[in-house]
């Protein structure tokens, strides 16, 4: 019997049990061969004699058997491709499901469904997508409820035991906080079998940060118990270990939220700064507005916003995003939302003072001495952000808490520029040189007047196009649009502004205005 291949990465939806589809009476489906259990990831229709090259694995394949000549080989190839089930439509080709096909499905262990003539294949596909959407919504609601429960637990006077208890409740399992030596700090939930507990302790030692190169997380199984271990940040070697019966969609996300909270709450000896930031993060998780947490964040400003995306195009999870934030020195990380692959990190900027006054060899005046000029404070500088392998970063200039929206926009522009130019890091440089000599209010007023004919999408396109030296292709990449769309928008900008965009003086003035808008 052919061995099914390793499952291919599935869609961002949980699999649908075959039993749920069979329970839909309006479809009239009937299982006539093969096992009763299967997980459906896709629906695919094919009348090819061998659809193997076009299958990803996990499909409910629908066919009327137009080119069915060798049922045994046909089923063997489906199993080899990793198909989850076969739906065979009777009429107009066959009056009934061929007996040889039934025998082959029983022999290879592939579920076979009889599709009545009054049920179109498209109706089955829609039913599967509907079930997937319902499952996805259930999963999102579950994760949202878990996040709220964990955040509430983190705000209690005994946050670490409370978070572990809530995590064990949400995952219906055992949650344990261990030291690098395997000593139990806190635990919640029903104890697993002693052998499973021993396996969980061994797994925790795998991720304990006692040696370079230790993985951030690891999973294993012991019988019907699923085991997982996650290294916590903070440099103390703490490990979160989980033992659950099975693995449900959303469990990894829930565990990731708990890892972030426990990394903040379980780190010993955290100073006042870290405690303030932890409190701010928890309050934001509980639904507070930025203005409400400003007293906790304000003394550490101004702030720099960083936008980051994985260089390989994959979507980062909460653990990956948290690791990036830790490497940048910040626990204020937004791992993104559904359909958004951008990670946002908030970093405190630093300020620098002018060098001491005094000529060579002359002792600088001490504070309070007569005639001492006040030391001017130079503009805040962004934190030194080195390139991070596997990531593309866009960094904003420092900004006060009240202007974080502007910094967020500039970080997004810097990230788009970095992706378009295939550079790992782009910093949104502050206005300097001659442009900095013009008062900001006058520059902003001039920019508003000059750019008034342009809509925001046109202004964004023009800004990006100028920043990339008029490259159509790179601008298209940065804006995720077709290059012809870029040409049309730039042409429209030239018409509305009544200028020649090939003129360097025109480009310079527009670039100045777009930078001060």
């Amino acid at each position: 019997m052919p061995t099914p291949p390793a499952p291919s990465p599935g869609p961002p939806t949980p699999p649908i049990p075959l039993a749920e589809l069979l329970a839909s009476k309006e479809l009239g489906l009937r299982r006539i061969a093969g096992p009763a259990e299967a997980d459906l990831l896709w629906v695919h229709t094919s009348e090819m004699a061998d659809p193997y090259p076009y299958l990803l694995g996990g499909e409910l394949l629908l066919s009327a058997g137009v080119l069915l000549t060798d049922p045994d080989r046909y089923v063997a190839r489906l199993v080899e491709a990793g198909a989850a089930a076969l739906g065979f439509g009777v009429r107009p080709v066959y009056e009934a499901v061929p007996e040889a096909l039934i025998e082959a499905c029983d022999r290879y262990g592939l579920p076979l469904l009889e599709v009545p003539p009054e049920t179109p294949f498209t109706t089955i596909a829609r039913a599967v997508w509907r079930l997937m959407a319902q499952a996805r919504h259930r999963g999102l609601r579950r994760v949202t409820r878990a996040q709220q429960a964990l955040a509430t637990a983190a705000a209690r006077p005994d946050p670490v035991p409370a978070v572990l208890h809530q995590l064990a409740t949400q995952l219906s399992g055992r949650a344990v906080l261990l030291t690098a030596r395997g000593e139990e700090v806190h635990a919640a939930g029903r104890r697993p079998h002693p052998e499973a507990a021993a396996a969980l302790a061994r797994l925790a030692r795998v991720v304990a940060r006692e040696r370079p190169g230790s993985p951030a997380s690891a999973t294993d199984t012991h019988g019907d118990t699923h085991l997982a271990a996650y290294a916590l940040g903070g440099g103390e070697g703490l490990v979160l270990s989980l033992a659950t019966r099975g693995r449900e969609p959303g469990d990894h996300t829930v565990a990731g939220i708990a890892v972030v909270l426990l990394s903040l709450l379980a780190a010993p000896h955290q100073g006042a700064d870290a405690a303030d930031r932890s409190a701010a993060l928890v309050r934001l998780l509980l639904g507070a507005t930025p203005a409400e947490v400003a007293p906790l964040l304000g003394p550490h400003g101004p702030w720099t916003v960083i936008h980051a995306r994985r260089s390989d195009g994959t979507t980062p999870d909460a653990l990956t995003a948290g690791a990036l934030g830790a490497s940048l020195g910040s626990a204020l990380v937004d791992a993104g939302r559904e359909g958004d692959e951008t990670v946002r990190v908030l970093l405190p900027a630093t300020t620098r003072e002018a060098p001491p006054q005094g000529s060579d060899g002359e002792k600088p005046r001490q504070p309070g001495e007569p005639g001492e000029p006040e030391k001017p404070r130079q503009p805040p500088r962004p934190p030194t952000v080195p390139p991070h392998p596997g990531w593309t970063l866009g960094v904003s200039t420092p900004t006060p808490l009240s202007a974080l929206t502007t910094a967020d926009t500039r970080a997004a522009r810097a990230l788009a520029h970095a992706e378009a130019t295939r550079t790992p890091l782009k910093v949104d440089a502050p206005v300097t040189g001659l442009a900095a000599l013009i008062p900001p209010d006058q520059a902003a007023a001039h920019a508003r007047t000059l750019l008034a004919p342009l809509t925001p999408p046109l202004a964004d396109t023009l800004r990006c196009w100028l920043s990339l030296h008029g490259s159509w292709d790179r601008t298209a990449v940065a804006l995720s649009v077709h290059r012809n769309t870029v040409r049309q928008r730039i042409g429209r900008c030239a018409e509305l502004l009544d200028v020649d965009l090939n003129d360097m003086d025109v480009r310079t003035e527009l670039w100045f205005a777009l930078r001060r808008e």
Side-chain angles (χ1 to χ4, degrees):
M1 179 184 300
T3 301
S8 300
T13 55
I16 300 302
L18 178 61
E20 288 192 19
L21 189 64
L22 292 173
S24 180
K25 295 183 179 180
E26 63 270 17
L27 297 178
L29 303 178
R30 186 168 65 94
R31 183 179 63 86
I32 58 177
E37 295 183 358
D39 289 331
L40 311 180
L41 291 176
W42 326 86
V43 177
H44 183 64
T45 301
S46 175
E47 296 300 342
M48 300 183 66
D50 181 15
Y52 175 95
Y54 302 96
L55 300 182
L56 297 173
E59 291 91 351
L60 167 60
L61 180 66
L62 302 175
S63 175
V66 175
L67 299 179
L68 180 64
T69 56
D70 187 346
D72 188 273
R73 183 178 184 279
Y74 182 79
V75 174
R77 292 286 283 171
L78 293 185
V79 172
E80 186 179 354
L86 172 63
F88 194 87
V90 296
R91 301 183 198 158
V93 181
Y94 288 89
E95 290 296 321
V97 180
E99 193 65 31
L101 185 63
I102 297 175
E103 294 174 356
C105 287
D106 274 330
R107 184 163 53 253
Y108 288 105
L110 181 68
L112 176 61
L113 313 182
E114 181 186 65
V115 182
E118 62 273 11
T119 302
F121 286 173
T122 54
T123 302
I124 299 174
R126 289 176 181 174
V128 171
W129 305 142
R130 183 177 66 252
L131 291 172
M132 284 185 170
Q134 293 172 354
R136 181 62 176 170
H137 290 158
R138 288 195 301 268
L140 290 175
R141 286 196 297 269
R142 174 174 176 261
V143 169
T144 300
R145 288 194 299 268
Q147 178 178 350
Q148 293 172 347
L150 290 170
T152 302
R156 293 184 54 181
D158 52 347
V160 173
V163 169
L164 287 174
H165 174 76
Q166 193 57 243
L167 180 61
T169 300
Q170 295 294 329
L171 300 183
S172 301
R174 176 80 167 175
V176 186
L177 187 63
L178 300 171
T179 66
R181 296 185 296 273
E183 300 167 345
E184 187 175 294
V185 180
H186 295 289
R190 180 178 300 178
R191 290 183 177 274
H193 189 274
E195 294 182 0
L200 186 61
R202 290 193 297 270
L203 190 66
R205 287 194 290 271
V206 173
V207 302
R209 300 289 176 82
E210 293 183 306
R211 60 188 184 277
S214 298
S217 63
T219 60
D220 196 2
T221 57
H222 188 277
D224 60 352
T225 303
H226 184 88
L227 310 176
Y230 304 88
L232 301 187
E236 300 297 326
L238 295 176
V239 176
L240 172 64
S241 300
L242 302 174
T244 59
R245 291 297 180 95
R247 187 75 165 173
E248 296 185 15
D251 282 2
H252 184 68
T253 302
V254 174
I257 296 170
V259 166
V260 172
L261 289 173
L262 290 172
S263 295
L264 291 168
L265 299 170
H269 315 301
Q270 62 175 355
D273 289 351
D276 284 348
R277 295 187 195 181
S278 298
L281 176 60
V282 170
R283 292 188 187 183
L284 284 173
L285 287 171
L286 289 170
T289 64
E292 292 172 314
V293 301
L296 295 176
L297 297 177
H300 308 287
W303 297 88
T304 292
V305 179
I306 298 176
H307 280 211
R309 288 199 191 105
R310 296 291 299 173
S311 302
D312 57 6
T314 59
T315 301
D317 55 24
L319 289 177
T320 306
L324 174 65
S327 65
L328 290 169
S330 175
L332 302 179
V333 180
D334 178 8
R337 298 171 178 82
E338 184 68 21
D340 185 3
E341 299 175 353
T342 303
V343 174
R344 293 169 176 82
V345 182
L346 192 59
L347 283 179
T350 58
T351 57
R352 50 187 176 182
E353 296 183 347
Q357 302 295 320
S359 59
D360 292 343
E362 178 184 355
K363 181 180 177 181
R365 293 187 180 93
Q366 298 300 316
E369 289 185 3
E372 178 201 5
E374 182 180 355
K375 293 181 181 179
R377 293 179 62 86
Q378 298 182 5
R381 60 189 177 190
T384 301
V385 179
H388 281 60
W391 293 90
T392 302
L393 306 180
V395 183
S396 78
T397 50
T399 183
L401 188 66
S402 58
L404 282 183
T405 300
T406 301
D408 187 62
T409 300
R410 291 186 173 180
R413 291 173 183 168
L415 176 60
H417 190 287
E419 289 184 322
T421 55
R422 293 184 174 89
T423 55
L425 174 69
K426 170 64 178 178
V427 178
D428 179 60
V431 176
T432 58
L434 293 175
L437 299 178
I438 302 177
D441 54 346
Q442 296 181 19
H446 174 74
R448 286 193 298 269
T449 301
L450 179 62
L451 303 173
L454 302 183
T455 62
L458 289 178
D460 288 341
T461 303
L462 181 59
R463 180 187 295 105
C464 185
W465 182 72
L466 290 174
S467 72
L468 295 170
H469 310 290
S471 170
W472 307 109
D473 292 329
R474 289 182 175 181
T475 305
V477 171
L479 298 177
S480 299
V481 297
H482 195 276
R483 66 195 308 271
N484 289 343
T485 302
V486 176
R487 288 183 176 275
Q488 293 170 0
R489 291 180 182 178
I490 296 301
R492 183 59 176 160
C493 289
E495 293 177 6
L496 293 173
L497 298 173
D498 192 23
V499 295
D500 179 9
L501 291 177
N502 292 319
D503 188 323
M504 181 54 68
D505 289 338
V506 171
R507 289 195 183 194
T508 301
E509 182 174 7
L510 288 173
W511 177 245
F512 171 83
L514 289 164
R515 291 280 289 162
R516 303 303 290 264
E517 182 189 20

